[in-house]
DNA sequence: CTTTTATCCTACCAAATTAGTAGGATAAGT
DNA sequence: ACTTATCCTACTAATTTGGTAGGATAAAAG
């Protein structure tokens, strides 16, 4: 039961962009890599996924910085999770088409469904603006 | 973000034992395997872990059935999870000794800590007696 | 206009984890 | 004596994870 490192790095990347929301020039990939202590090459993959999910864009042409595509307030933790994973399904039988061999009505599936929903709601209700605000209040004395 | 199949099978195994709490002869491994549509050999591993975690025991000698070691009400979903995994830590930096390369105070870690706690509380607050009761009310018309 | 540099894009890969199977020992019941 | 159910240790194929490598592209700097 772990989140993968890509999702974690992506969250921190998005946090940096949220903190620079007002900066029209965006943030350079290489600066993010440096701040997050991750190789530029690895960050390549992470940013590629974020772009594919339409969460970030580069403001100018090829050599420009990145910005969020929408307000930090409108980007949830779950949005970022979804850039790397399918819909949250903590066990396979929650997936559409997931099969279950038990013959009787499955009380375990009901339990998992509730837990799954609880985790998802938690991620959906936290947004990057709130995280950025918390970061500022904790770090800038 | 998935629970593994061992934990899932273990939950269903424990549910069967909880449903047979009053049955002093216990439940045979081979009957569980048949009901859960899993090979006896694979169930071997699962039951071995449950025994190691002191959640089940066999009532007689070698060829006897299994019973819960304590009341179903006193066994939580998290107890069963813990028979197969270390303490829940949805990201590594939540572990004791987990390191984090960020230089500033980490607001992400606080977020993950909260989510981790929420998941854990959910699993701790559901017990096998409650699941068994639900099973009965859903299946026995 | 050449060199540098930052992003973009596709492969590849080693290590770890997962979800089992296999083989046989042990011991109890018939 | 034979069958059968649990016990115990290995092994393994497939998938996932967490990256690295190489090079293309394009903009900017000199």
């Amino acid at each position: 039961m772990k989140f993968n490192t890509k999702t974690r790095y992506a969250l921190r990347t998005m946090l940096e962009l949220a903190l620079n929301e007002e900066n029209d020039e965006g943030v350079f990939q290489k600066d993010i890599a440096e701040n997050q202590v991750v190789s530029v090459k690895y960050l390549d993959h992470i940013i590629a996924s974020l772009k594919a999910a339409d969460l970030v864009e580069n403001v100018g042409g090829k050599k420009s910085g990145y910005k969020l595509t929408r307000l930090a307030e409108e980007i949830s933790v779950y949005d970022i999770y979804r850039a790397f994973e399918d819909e949250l399904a903590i066990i396979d039988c929650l997936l559409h088409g997931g099969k279950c061999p038990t013959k009787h009505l499955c009380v375990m599936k009901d339990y998992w469904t509730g837990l799954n929903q609880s985790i998802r709601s938690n991620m959906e209700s936290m947004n990057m603006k709130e995280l950025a605000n918390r970061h500022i209040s904790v770090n800038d004395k």
Side-chain angles (χ1 to χ4, degrees), chain A residues 72-85:
Chain A
E73 201 178 341
E74 291 167 357
I75 299 175
S76 72
V77 170
Y78 191 65
D79 289 331
I80 297 163
Y81 173 83
R82 287 284 284 105
F84 300 92
E85 306 263 1

Side-chain angles (χ1 to χ4, degrees), chain A residues 3-132:
Chain A
F3 282 89
N4 59 35
T5 64
K6 279 185 185 167
T7 301
R8 289 191 290 116
Y9 279 120
L11 255 307
R12 299 199 305 201
T13 295
M14 293 295 280
L15 180 60
E16 274 205 56
L17 297 186
L19 288 165
N20 284 277
E21 209 172 10
E22 308 301 320
N23 169 8
D24 286 336
E25 281 148 33
V27 183
F28 279 44
Q29 176 173 317
K30 67 187 248 299
D31 294 329
I32 297 170
E34 195 175 321
N35 291 340
Q36 306 299 342
V37 194
V38 60
S39 77
V40 174
K41 288 292 196 181
Y42 191 32
L43 196 59
D44 257 12
H45 296 311
I46 292 159
I47 289 181
S49 296
L50 292 173
K51 283 179 75 169
D54 198 34
L55 292 172
V56 305
E57 64 192 347
N58 32 13
V59 294
K62 202 87 183 250
K63 285 183 82 167
S64 64
Y66 288 102
K67 280 187 74 69
L68 302 179
T69 54
R70 48 187 202 267
L71 292 175
E73 201 178 341
E74 291 167 357
I75 299 175
S76 72
V77 170
Y78 191 65
D79 289 331
I80 297 163
Y81 173 83
R82 287 284 284 105
F84 300 92
E85 306 263 1
D86 291 330
E87 291 286 350
L88 182 68
I90 56 175
I91 57 171
D92 286 337
C93 79
L94 301 184
L95 292 168
H96 185 66
K99 70 278 176 196
C100 179
T102 48
K103 29 181 187 268
H104 34 245
L105 292 169
C106 186
V107 73
M108 287 316 307
K109 179 169 178 176
D110 292 342
Y111 171 73
W112 293 124
T113 299
L115 178 53
N116 197 77
Q117 187 55 42
S118 152
I119 297 169
R120 181 171 161 162
S121 295
N122 183 307
M123 289 195 279
E124 282 173 340
S125 61
M126 177 59 72
N127 68 68
M128 295 315 294
K129 182 70 181 173
E130 172 66 18
L131 287 168

